[in-house]
Amino acid sequence: MAVYILSNRKIIRHKGEKIDSFSNDEYSIPNFRIAKCDFDNYKEPTAAAKKKKDYTNRNILNYKLFSEPEKQGYQDVFNVLLNEKGIKKSTLTANNLGGTQKMFYELYKNMSSTKDRSDVLIFIHGYAYDFDDELKAIIDLKKIFIDNSSSPIEHILFISWPASSSIVPLTYFDDKASSINSGASLMRLFYFYTQFLKDIFSNRDLAPCNQRIHIMAHSMGNRVLQSMLYSLKKENILRVIDQVLLLNSDVSYKVFDESENSFNKLPLLANRVSIYLNRKDAILGISQFTKNILTPRLGKNGPSNIDQFKDIVSIIDCTFIENDILNSFKFEFGNHWGYLSSSQAQNDIFQNLYGVDRNLITNRTKNNENTFTIIS
């Protein structure tokens, strides 16, 4: 099990500390830095601990930033792997690797060492998250997707982008700008990943791990994904993702149109795309009527036209799910966080991640060829 933070947040060093940390500042740097979360010594905080002013950063969850790589490319990774297999001698060890080299090395080692499902979930969070909020979200995601035997996920790559810490309406536009910048950084990371895969597949001594990688984007996290897709050229896209799950997406309902040139690329990238929507989503309703010039949101209204993608893209209506896990006013009124608040939504997501045929996923009714409603 491993959980990584991939962040383009500012790097700071707190007073009296000797290690670098991610900042809560609403400021992005051009490239992602990578950190690995330490759950070995994690203890669930008490209510009193959560109220303390020092319940921030590493007091929430400890993590260690990877060093930057000594040189670009992945030849050093292969030298280390081949040396460990006794195929090619090298003085390099895993300690010489940094950044994406170290993360890809660790994931490949873990995912190729088991015959069981050892999937990776790339998660992109939404609007109004500071870094402390992100650390709390990581803890929740680990409980839902790694600790749960109903889920095939064993590793999480949490995309940390510097959203605003306030829900004041004007910060929404700051987050839109930040999501665009972060999408460009994510695009570079995607190219690193595809290059690593090409190198692995071209090396006969290194077998593919045969595990699956999924992307899950919530709310405005879909705008980060959209920004990445804008930058990707269709001829450079490889189908390296199994499932893409778009949760309560705060993007235009027209994103799959050819003129948008963004989500219409997802069917080239993934085996299956699932749009989870809630027609009672009050947060997206506010987004539509106050911030997006009355443009219907994908996560509330569904896509305008996906006829050409109906074999790959599914629409899952979560309007009638129950918030039986979390049912505070925020969740009951907002209807925006079903993946956290509803066991029905989670059960549907788990089956999707396992790759169950969309017509065989339980507790659904089929509305038409590619549209379903989750039922009690």
Side-chain angles (χ1 to χ4, degrees):
M1 184 278 292
V3 178
Y4 300 90
I5 303 171
L6 286 69
S7 183
N8 61 338
R9 287 184 175 274
K10 184 179 178 182
I11 304 296
I12 59 172
R13 181 164 292 186
H14 294 287
K15 187 176 180 180
E17 294 184 356
K18 297 182 181 180
I19 53 177
D20 290 334
S21 300
F22 290 118
S23 168
N24 262 327
D25 292 349
E26 298 160 17
Y27 175 84
S28 61
I29 58 177
N31 297 312
F32 279 106
R33 288 291 303 275
I34 299 174
K36 187 176 183 180
C37 297
D38 176 14
F39 282 96
D40 291 340
N41 300 309
Y42 174 76
K43 293 182 180 180
E44 191 73 31
T46 63
K50 290 181 179 180
K51 290 183 178 180
K52 287 186 177 180
K53 291 183 179 180
D54 63 354
Y55 185 62
T56 60
N57 217 284
R58 284 189 169 84
N59 287 328
I60 299 173
L61 177 63
N62 192 29
Y63 58 92
K64 182 179 180 181
L65 270 82
F66 287 168
S67 63
E68 290 291 85
E70 297 174 5
K71 58 183 180 181
Q72 298 302 311
Y74 298 102
Q75 187 57 50
D76 285 354
V77 180
F78 302 122
N79 288 339
V80 172
L81 289 170
L82 294 174
N83 181 58
E84 291 175 349
K85 287 178 173 287
I87 297 171
K88 178 181 178 181
K89 289 187 177 181
S90 174
T91 58
L92 296 175
T93 68
N95 293 329
N96 297 106
L97 306 177
T100 57
Q101 295 173 347
K102 189 171 182 66
M103 181 177 71
F104 291 158
Y105 164 82
E106 291 183 355
L107 286 173
Y108 174 79
K109 287 274 290 185
N110 288 330
M111 295 168 73
S112 59
S113 64
T114 177
K115 293 182 180 179
D116 296 329
R117 286 292 289 269
S118 179
D119 291 5
V120 173
L121 177 66
I122 301 171
F123 183 87
I124 312 175
H125 69 79
Y127 165 54
Y129 275 66
D130 64 19
F131 185 66
D132 289 345
D133 293 329
E134 292 175 353
L135 291 175
K136 296 169 188 174
I138 288 171
I139 294 169
D140 290 337
L141 290 169
K142 177 181 177 290
K143 291 177 181 176
I144 294 170
F145 291 103
I146 294 179
D147 298 343
N148 193 329
S149 60
S150 298
S151 167
I153 302 301
E154 190 173 1
H155 314 284
I156 294 175
L157 273 56
F158 187 91
I159 306 299
S160 157
W161 59 280
S164 303
S165 57
S166 169
I167 59 172
V168 175
L170 288 177
T171 65
Y172 181 92
F173 300 103
D174 294 333
D175 281 4
K176 286 177 73 172
S178 181
S179 68
I180 293 171
N181 294 335
S182 301
S185 299
L186 188 60
M187 181 270 293
R188 288 192 289 273
L189 183 71
F190 172 79
Y191 279 132
F192 289 152
Y193 166 58
T194 53
Q195 185 59 54
F196 179 78
L197 287 182
K198 287 179 181 178
D199 292 344
I200 281 284
F201 284 120
S202 65
N203 194 311
R204 295 180 180 180
D205 295 313
L206 298 174
C209 66
N210 294 321
Q211 303 293 349
R212 298 162 181 82
I213 297 177
H214 316 286
I215 294 177
M216 181 182 293
H218 177 248
S219 192
M220 197 185 282
N222 285 261
R223 195 177 294 273
V224 176
L225 179 60
Q226 182 181 33
S227 178
M228 182 194 88
L229 293 167
Y230 278 142
S231 304
L232 289 179
K233 296 181 179 180
K234 287 186 176 181
E235 58 268 26
N236 293 335
I237 298 178
L238 299 176
R239 182 164 283 152
V240 293
I241 302 297
D242 186 31
Q243 307 290 325
V244 172
L245 283 70
L246 310 176
L247 312 178
N248 304 81
S249 307
D250 193 4
V251 291
S252 166
Y253 74 124
K254 293 185 176 182
V255 287
F256 283 91
D257 293 1
E258 285 295 324
S259 59
E260 284 286 324
N261 195 34
S262 58
F263 280 39
N264 64 321
K265 298 174 184 175
L266 283 177
L268 300 174
L269 178 69
N271 291 325
R272 184 163 71 188
V273 179
S274 299
I275 303 168
Y276 284 81
L277 60 84
N278 191 317
R279 302 190 189 281
K280 294 181 181 179
D281 192 317
I283 306 303
L284 294 183
I286 294 170
S287 171
Q288 175 180 333
F289 285 102
T290 64
K291 305 177 183 73
N292 288 289
I293 320 177
L294 303 184
T295 304
R297 314 317 289 159
L298 178 67
K300 180 177 173 66
N301 301 86
S304 59
N305 184 0
I306 54 169
D307 285 346
Q308 61 178 319
F309 305 125
K310 60 186 179 182
D311 291 339
I312 294 176
V313 180
S314 300
I315 301 167
I316 299 96
D317 191 336
C318 301
T319 303
F320 305 105
I321 62 173
E322 296 180 4
N323 296 312
D324 58 334
I325 299 175
L326 300 170
N327 56 10
S328 65
F329 176 78
K330 167 185 173 180
F331 297 101
E332 289 289 348
F333 167 76
N335 291 306
H336 188 61
W337 297 272
Y339 75 100
L340 292 174
S341 63
S342 171
S343 61
Q344 294 165 293
Q346 289 182 7
N347 180 59
D348 198 278
I349 288 170
F350 294 152
Q351 292 180 78
N352 240 334
L353 293 174
Y354 266 113
V356 176
D357 185 288
R358 63 185 180 182
N359 296 300
L360 300 178
I361 292 178
T362 59
N363 298 317
R364 283 182 175 185
T365 58
K366 185 173 182 178
N367 304 327
N368 57 46
E369 186 176 358
N370 66 325
T371 303
F372 305 85
T373 298
I374 297 180
I375 58 174
S376 300

PDB file of all heavy atoms in Angstrom, residues 172-182 223:
ATOM      1  N   TYR A 172     -13.890  31.432  -6.286  1.00  0.00           N
ATOM      2  CA  TYR A 172     -14.213  30.440  -7.307  1.00  0.00           C
ATOM      3  C   TYR A 172     -13.431  30.724  -8.578  1.00  0.00           C
ATOM      4  O   TYR A 172     -12.903  29.823  -9.225  1.00  0.00           O
ATOM      5  CB  TYR A 172     -15.719  30.466  -7.582  1.00  0.00           C
ATOM      6  CG  TYR A 172     -16.189  29.453  -8.606  1.00  0.00           C
ATOM      7  CD1 TYR A 172     -16.626  28.196  -8.210  1.00  0.00           C
ATOM      8  CD2 TYR A 172     -16.212  29.763  -9.968  1.00  0.00           C
ATOM      9  CE1 TYR A 172     -17.080  27.272  -9.146  1.00  0.00           C
ATOM     10  CE2 TYR A 172     -16.662  28.839 -10.910  1.00  0.00           C
ATOM     11  CZ  TYR A 172     -17.092  27.604 -10.477  1.00  0.00           C
ATOM     12  OH  TYR A 172     -17.531  26.697 -11.407  1.00  0.00           O
ATOM     13  N   PHE A 173     -13.334  32.014  -8.936  1.00  0.00           N
ATOM     14  CA  PHE A 173     -12.643  32.377 -10.172  1.00  0.00           C
ATOM     15  C   PHE A 173     -11.137  32.226 -10.022  1.00  0.00           C
ATOM     16  O   PHE A 173     -10.436  31.904 -10.980  1.00  0.00           O
ATOM     17  CB  PHE A 173     -13.030  33.802 -10.584  1.00  0.00           C
ATOM     18  CG  PHE A 173     -14.506  33.937 -10.832  1.00  0.00           C
ATOM     19  CD1 PHE A 173     -15.325  34.537  -9.884  1.00  0.00           C
ATOM     20  CD2 PHE A 173     -15.085  33.427 -11.976  1.00  0.00           C
ATOM     21  CE1 PHE A 173     -16.698  34.643 -10.101  1.00  0.00           C
ATOM     22  CE2 PHE A 173     -16.452  33.527 -12.206  1.00  0.00           C
ATOM     23  CZ  PHE A 173     -17.261  34.144 -11.257  1.00  0.00           C
ATOM     24  N   ASP A 174     -10.621  32.425  -8.792  1.00  0.00           N
ATOM     25  CA  ASP A 174      -9.210  32.141  -8.537  1.00  0.00           C
ATOM     26  C   ASP A 174      -8.943  30.657  -8.729  1.00  0.00           C
ATOM     27  O   ASP A 174      -7.928  30.258  -9.295  1.00  0.00           O
ATOM     28  CB  ASP A 174      -8.825  32.555  -7.113  1.00  0.00           C
ATOM     29  CG  ASP A 174      -8.911  34.059  -6.902  1.00  0.00           C
ATOM     30  OD1 ASP A 174      -8.748  34.797  -7.891  1.00  0.00           O
ATOM     31  OD2 ASP A 174      -9.140  34.483  -5.759  1.00  0.00           O
ATOM     32  N   ASP A 175      -9.871  29.828  -8.243  1.00  0.00           N
ATOM     33  CA  ASP A 175      -9.709  28.382  -8.380  1.00  0.00           C
ATOM     34  C   ASP A 175      -9.792  27.953  -9.838  1.00  0.00           C
ATOM     35  O   ASP A 175      -9.100  27.018 -10.260  1.00  0.00           O
ATOM     36  CB  ASP A 175     -10.771  27.648  -7.563  1.00  0.00           C
ATOM     37  CG  ASP A 175     -10.415  27.592  -6.074  1.00  0.00           C
ATOM     38  OD1 ASP A 175      -9.393  28.192  -5.712  1.00  0.00           O
ATOM     39  OD2 ASP A 175     -11.150  26.966  -5.304  1.00  0.00           O
ATOM     40  N   LYS A 176     -10.629  28.595 -10.627  1.00  0.00           N
ATOM     41  CA  LYS A 176     -10.701  28.271 -12.048  1.00  0.00           C
ATOM     42  C   LYS A 176      -9.352  28.517 -12.714  1.00  0.00           C
ATOM     43  O   LYS A 176      -8.871  27.698 -13.496  1.00  0.00           O
ATOM     44  CB  LYS A 176     -11.791  29.110 -12.725  1.00  0.00           C
ATOM     45  CG  LYS A 176     -13.214  28.666 -12.409  1.00  0.00           C
ATOM     46  CD  LYS A 176     -14.253  29.564 -13.045  1.00  0.00           C
ATOM     47  CE  LYS A 176     -14.348  29.362 -14.537  1.00  0.00           C
ATOM     48  NZ  LYS A 176     -15.494  30.104 -15.116  1.00  0.00           N
ATOM     49  N   ALA A 177      -8.734  29.660 -12.394  1.00  0.00           N
ATOM     50  CA  ALA A 177      -7.417  29.969 -12.974  1.00  0.00           C
ATOM     51  C   ALA A 177      -6.368  28.973 -12.498  1.00  0.00           C
ATOM     52  O   ALA A 177      -5.540  28.490 -13.272  1.00  0.00           O
ATOM     53  CB  ALA A 177      -7.013  31.394 -12.606  1.00  0.00           C
ATOM     54  N   SER A 178      -6.401  28.646 -11.198  1.00  0.00           N
ATOM     55  CA  SER A 178      -5.436  27.698 -10.646  1.00  0.00           C
ATOM     56  C   SER A 178      -5.614  26.314 -11.245  1.00  0.00           C
ATOM     57  O   SER A 178      -4.634  25.604 -11.494  1.00  0.00           O
ATOM     58  CB  SER A 178      -5.587  27.639  -9.124  1.00  0.00           C
ATOM     59  OG  SER A 178      -4.650  26.754  -8.561  1.00  0.00           O
ATOM     60  N   SER A 179      -6.863  25.927 -11.498  1.00  0.00           N
ATOM     61  CA  SER A 179      -7.111  24.602 -12.079  1.00  0.00           C
ATOM     62  C   SER A 179      -6.539  24.505 -13.483  1.00  0.00           C
ATOM     63  O   SER A 179      -6.061  23.443 -13.906  1.00  0.00           O
ATOM     64  CB  SER A 179      -8.606  24.303 -12.090  1.00  0.00           C
ATOM     65  OG  SER A 179      -9.300  25.143 -12.993  1.00  0.00           O
ATOM     66  N   ILE A 180      -6.569  25.605 -14.227  1.00  0.00           N
ATOM     67  CA  ILE A 180      -6.007  25.613 -15.579  1.00  0.00           C
ATOM     68  C   ILE A 180      -4.493  25.430 -15.520  1.00  0.00           C
ATOM     69  O   ILE A 180      -3.914  24.620 -16.258  1.00  0.00           O
ATOM     70  CB  ILE A 180      -6.371  26.919 -16.303  1.00  0.00           C
ATOM     71  CG1 ILE A 180      -7.879  26.976 -16.562  1.00  0.00           C
ATOM     72  CG2 ILE A 180      -5.605  27.051 -17.612  1.00  0.00           C
ATOM     73  CD1 ILE A 180      -8.376  28.304 -17.067  1.00  0.00           C
ATOM     74  N   ASN A 181      -3.830  26.171 -14.614  1.00  0.00           N
ATOM     75  CA  ASN A 181      -2.384  26.028 -14.456  1.00  0.00           C
ATOM     76  C   ASN A 181      -2.016  24.618 -14.014  1.00  0.00           C
ATOM     77  O   ASN A 181      -1.038  24.033 -14.490  1.00  0.00           O
ATOM     78  CB  ASN A 181      -1.870  27.036 -13.424  1.00  0.00           C
ATOM     79  CG  ASN A 181      -2.027  28.476 -13.882  1.00  0.00           C
ATOM     80  OD1 ASN A 181      -2.086  28.746 -15.081  1.00  0.00           O
ATOM     81  ND2 ASN A 181      -2.108  29.394 -12.943  1.00  0.00           N
ATOM     82  N   SER A 182      -2.798  24.073 -13.111  1.00  0.00           N
ATOM     83  CA  SER A 182      -2.514  22.737 -12.588  1.00  0.00           C
ATOM     84  C   SER A 182      -2.723  21.675 -13.655  1.00  0.00           C
ATOM     85  O   SER A 182      -2.021  20.657 -13.681  1.00  0.00           O
ATOM     86  CB  SER A 182      -3.403  22.449 -11.374  1.00  0.00           C
ATOM     87  OG  SER A 182      -3.183  23.402 -10.355  1.00  0.00           O
ATOM     88  N   ARG A 223     -12.165  20.284 -13.924  1.00  0.00           N
ATOM     89  CA  ARG A 223     -11.587  21.371 -14.717  1.00  0.00           C
ATOM     90  C   ARG A 223     -10.070  21.203 -14.838  1.00  0.00           C
ATOM     91  O   ARG A 223      -9.468  21.568 -15.848  1.00  0.00           O
ATOM     92  CB  ARG A 223     -11.936  22.727 -14.102  1.00  0.00           C
ATOM     93  CG  ARG A 223     -11.690  23.892 -15.032  1.00  0.00           C
ATOM     94  CD  ARG A 223     -12.122  25.189 -14.382  1.00  0.00           C
ATOM     95  NE  ARG A 223     -13.559  25.228 -14.175  1.00  0.00           N
ATOM     96  CZ  ARG A 223     -14.427  25.647 -15.085  1.00  0.00           C
ATOM     97  NH1 ARG A 223     -14.002  26.045 -16.269  1.00  0.00           N
ATOM     98  NH2 ARG A 223     -15.716  25.664 -14.820  1.00  0.00           N
TER      99      ARG A 223
END
